[in-house]
Amino acid sequence: MKQLLTDAIVLARTDYGEADRIITLLTPQQGKLRLMAKGVRRVKSKLAGGIELFSVSTITYVKGRGDIGTLVSTRLLKHYGSIVTDLDRTMLGYELIKLLNRVTEDEPEPEYFDLLRHGFEALDDSLVPPEVIRYWFSAQLLRQAGHTPNLRTDTEGAKLSADQAYEFSFDDMCFTPLPGRGHYGVDHIKFLRLSFGAHPAKVLAQVRGGGELAAQLSPLVSTMLRTYLRV
């Protein structure tokens, strides 16, 4: 059978039989793959090193007659080893993987592969706070799914003003003026624009007060996730 080559990130691993595993992988061009890794749980397995969590690898595989193919070989490209030295970052890494796995279909766009890889890079960088990474990743999932909020005009169609206080309308996916009582101002709006742009988490962490802004905006973005992505 024809052997295929692709880069891949492990999303899930399920033990099968005495020494095998069924691996769910995210790839840039082939979407999600479910492959049988035969003998991978044996001590001397040549496959094991290339299918570690928090890693990017090149894999060779063959398609199966059903939903599950066979993993032939693996080559580790990058392992983000600093993630597993910190419990909070490790647990957040698991959270990001599970979240992306839940919101994507079997043939997600290549951008989801890049998003998870960038998430690993942020988790591997001790200068990027975990709370900023979680917030950024949620915003980027919404962006990839086509649910970027309107951050230019309010519910009346007027341009957002630096002197105005706002609340957010989830039905309209934009801000609505609430003079003197709104919880969101110009700094929140600027940070949201940055968050939903094509910027890595490190850029948000470098913003003065970025950690506090991420904490204040996290409930807003989390509600968007539950509303539009059902997670």
Side-chain angles (χ1 to χ4, degrees), residues 86-155:
D86 182 283
L87 180 59
D88 290 339
R89 290 178 181 273
T90 301
M91 297 309 296
L92 179 54
Y94 288 134
E95 181 183 327
L96 300 189
I97 290 171
K98 290 179 180 178
L99 183 57
L100 188 142
N101 198 14
R102 288 173 60 188
V103 305
T104 54
E105 302 294 336
D106 284 346
E107 297 183 5
E109 294 83 355
E111 288 78 12
Y112 285 101
F113 179 88
D114 294 331
L115 173 59
L116 190 52
R117 179 170 55 84
H118 289 316
F120 290 166
E121 290 174 355
L123 286 167
D124 205 52
D125 186 345
S126 62
L127 297 178
V128 185
E131 60 271 18
V132 172
I133 299 171
R134 178 184 285 107
Y135 160 81
W136 164 84
F137 195 83
S138 298
Q140 290 299 305
L141 281 178
L142 286 160
R143 173 175 173 264
Q144 296 292 354
H147 296 294
T148 298
N150 174 6
L151 300 172
R152 296 296 173 185
T153 58
D154 63 22
T155 50

Side-chain angles (χ1 to χ4, degrees), residues 7 18 20 78 89 148 170:
D7 291 344
E18 294 184 0
D20 303 338
K78 174 68 176 179
R89 290 178 181 273
T148 298
F170 292 99

Side-chain angles (χ1 to χ4, degrees), residues 57-79:
S57 299
T58 296
I59 65 166
T60 304
Y61 71 100
V62 294
K63 291 183 177 180
R65 294 183 179 180
D67 294 333
I68 300 176
T70 300
L71 185 64
V72 175
S73 67
T74 65
R75 181 169 62 89
L76 182 66
L77 295 178
K78 174 68 176 179
H79 177 58

